[in-house]
Amino acid sequence: MINQSIRISLLFVSATILCNCSGSKQVNKAAEKMTLRGTFKDDFLIGTALNTRQIEQKDPKAAALIPQQFDAATPENIMKAEEIHPQWGTYNFDLADKLVAYAAANNIRVNAHTLIWHSQLPAYVRRLQSADSVRQFFTEHINTLASHYDGKVYSWDVVNEALNEDGTLRKSIFLQKLGDNYIVEAFRLAQQAAPNTQLYYNDYNIEQPRKRAGAVAVVQKIQEAGVRIDGIGIQGHWRAGHVPFDEIEKSIEAFGALGIKVMFTELDLSVLPNPLNGNTADVSQTAAYNAQYNPFVAGLPDSIQQQLASDYEQLFKLFLKHKDKIGRVTFWGVNDGQSWLNDWPVRGRTNYPLLFDRQFAPKLAYYKVIESKTKS
Ligand code: XIL
């Protein structure tokens, strides 16, 4: 059997050969024996989103790379209500149980995603009319899942994306039928059912001032009700060249001051034009394909590769500066070919938002992330 350190070296030898990114020859000397999880082991967890094939280890390259590089994992889709609770009272625990076993075998912590979200709800929930039936779904869903996975997953995104851009509460089915205390109630139920699990609120754009103020108010309301919330997840779907570093830093400070951990939960930096207004991560907003929105099918120009790498480096320097407040940094996918950003908000594009390329080779951005720690 090939031992772990030889396997890691082999990975990087092959990565060096595969990586045609400019500048990598100079920087990968120091990085070649490093991994993400090893580099940041004293700072914060390093996570990835996992899709079904990865959880079932059907892709050998992903199966080799994931446990070397990551010590946290979030299921990309399989624990969302439409997948894990497809019919009233019927739960598909199989894949999530596999994820828990896979994670335990590889010393990876699972962040379960997500209990209460207006999106990817099963059709029967969207058809519910009465407040009583929505409340029954809400209560049973949280109780069943939170208790089944208590002690097996490390954390839950209890509520996802409850806020509008102006910081007010989104008019989801939960707000409309249960009233504006529903977030506190979700955390109260989760706390009872999962006393051994970290409980988080998760959202996109909550680094922006108005939405950040809304998120602070949500956390304070939970705390004032005497209910436990352990952390907040800033999703981190940003664009290379447009990362809002100052607002991110203000948000780490504002959320940290509430006495909870800050997580970056779905980090990716799109390099493609965004045809939508504003920098939303609202999965329901999409745009039609147009070749001008897909300029890098043949490869990423070096200038953009450099921009991506420098943005990631600056982000990780910021994370390290505030490591006392940060619990985890999770990338939304393992490699560029597997990123949701190839199909959202426009289907069928070629995006390059992550640290590993389509062949699983580390990109320049990977080495710059490692260097943010080793050269500091
Ligand atoms: C995305 C997945 O990556 C896609 O595969 C799926 O089709 C839609 O959802 N915010 C979230 C994530 O909280 O759950 C979303 O994941 C991306 C935006």
Side-chain angles (χ1 to χ4, degrees):
M1 215 183 90
I2 196 162
N3 82 31
Q4 180 83 351
S5 64
I6 296 176
R7 277 171 58 199
I8 292 172
S9 309
L10 284 176
L11 176 83
F12 286 99
V13 171
S14 65
T16 310
I17 295 161
L18 284 168
C19 184
N20 59 3
C21 46
S22 135
S24 67
K25 287 250 155 32
Q26 295 85 10
V27 294
N28 68 14
K29 270 262 167 320
E32 79 193 340
K33 291 200 179 64
M34 310 295 286
T35 64
L36 294 170
R37 68 183 282 178
T39 300
F40 297 100
K41 67 179 187 321
D42 298 326
D43 306 313
F44 32 73
L45 296 169
I46 296 284
T48 180
L50 293 182
N51 63 31
T52 304
R53 280 177 56 80
Q54 291 160 344
I55 291 166
E56 296 195 308
Q57 299 171 72
K58 291 208 166 133
D59 182 341
K61 284 190 175 168
L65 185 125
I66 290 161
Q68 287 170 348
Q69 295 289 343
F70 303 103
D71 52 14
T74 301
E76 186 172 1
N77 286 302
I78 59 144
M79 293 183 87
K80 292 173 179 171
E82 72 175 359
E83 304 231 4
I84 203 160
H85 191 177
Q87 306 292 330
W88 187 279
T90 302
Y91 293 85
N92 276 339
F93 293 125
D94 285 8
L95 273 172
D97 288 352
K98 274 189 194 168
L99 169 63
V100 166
Y102 171 66
N106 291 289
N107 201 13
I108 290 172
R109 293 191 196 177
V110 175
N111 175 60
H113 175 80
T114 171
L115 285 170
I116 296 300
W117 187 29
H118 64 280
S119 200
Q120 290 181 270
L121 279 171
Y124 69 86
V125 176
R126 285 184 268 116
R127 285 195 296 265
L128 295 175
Q129 294 294 326
S130 73
D132 279 354
S133 56
V134 174
R135 182 167 297 284
Q136 196 185 342
F137 165 79
F138 180 86
T139 306
E140 288 180 12
H141 185 76
I142 296 174
N143 282 344
T144 306
L145 288 167
S147 60
H148 184 90
Y149 289 104
D150 191 36
K152 296 181 179 157
V153 300
Y154 180 71
S155 52
W156 265 109
D157 292 335
V158 177
V159 175
N160 195 33
E161 301 182 354
L163 290 164
N164 294 315
E165 297 308 291
D166 66 0
T168 59
L169 289 182
R170 182 193 291 273
K171 265 201 176 164
S172 68
I173 183 172
F174 303 111
L175 180 69
Q176 285 178 308
K177 302 291 184 187
L178 306 179
D180 60 12
N181 221 31
Y182 85 90
I183 302 177
V184 173
E185 291 313 314
F187 277 82
R188 196 191 301 279
L189 289 166
Q191 171 180 4
Q192 282 158 4
N196 305 301
T197 308
Q198 298 274 297
L199 306 177
Y200 303 149
Y201 176 74
N202 192 54
D203 211 331
Y204 60 86
N205 284 357
I206 50 171
E207 73 281 357
Q208 297 298 335
R210 290 184 308 163
K211 206 165 177 179
R212 180 200 312 148
V216 167
V218 163
V219 173
Q220 284 174 331
K221 188 170 176 183
I222 297 167
Q223 292 175 327
E224 279 158 19
V227 174
R228 178 166 63 89
I229 174 166
D230 302 294
I232 187 157
I234 300 171
Q235 290 186 4
H237 297 295
W238 294 306
R239 282 178 66 208
H242 303 267
V243 178
F245 294 106
D246 290 347
E247 301 302 349
I248 295 168
E249 181 157 31
K250 286 183 201 153
S251 304
I252 298 170
E253 283 163 349
F255 297 143
L258 299 169
I260 56 174
K261 281 282 176 201
V262 182
M263 258 72 55
F264 291 86
T265 53
E266 305 185 13
L267 183 57
D268 47 24
L269 302 182
S270 174
V271 300
L272 295 180
N274 183 356
L276 303 177
N277 286 331
N279 186 39
T280 180
D282 184 341
V283 295
S284 68
Q285 292 197 41
T286 56
Y289 184 88
N290 175 330
Q292 85 191 38
Y293 295 146
N294 193 21
F296 307 132
V297 180
L300 194 62
D302 190 55
S303 59
I304 300 180
Q305 189 83 264
Q306 300 279 349
Q307 177 73 58
L308 184 81
S310 127
D311 284 349
Y312 267 120
E313 181 180 27
Q314 207 177 323
L315 265 177
F316 272 76
K317 283 186 173 162
L318 189 58
F319 298 159
L320 285 169
K321 179 176 169 195
H322 294 286
K323 65 182 182 181
D324 57 316
K325 301 176 206 70
I326 295 176
R328 169 168 54 90
V329 178
T330 290
F331 296 88
W332 205 240
V334 178
N335 83 17
D336 283 343
Q338 301 164 331
S339 164
W340 75 305
L341 293 175
N342 293 300
D343 287 307
W344 183 89
V346 177
R347 289 196 75 83
R349 297 198 294 178
T350 305
N351 212 331
Y352 302 82
L354 298 168
L355 300 190
F356 296 95
D357 72 13
R358 284 168 166 73
Q359 283 72 47
F360 295 92
K363 296 157 62 177
L364 181 60
Y366 171 91
Y367 295 105
K368 291 293 180 188
V369 165
I370 299 272
E371 278 186 7
S372 72
K373 171 82 184 182
T374 57
K375 282 202 172 169
S376 63

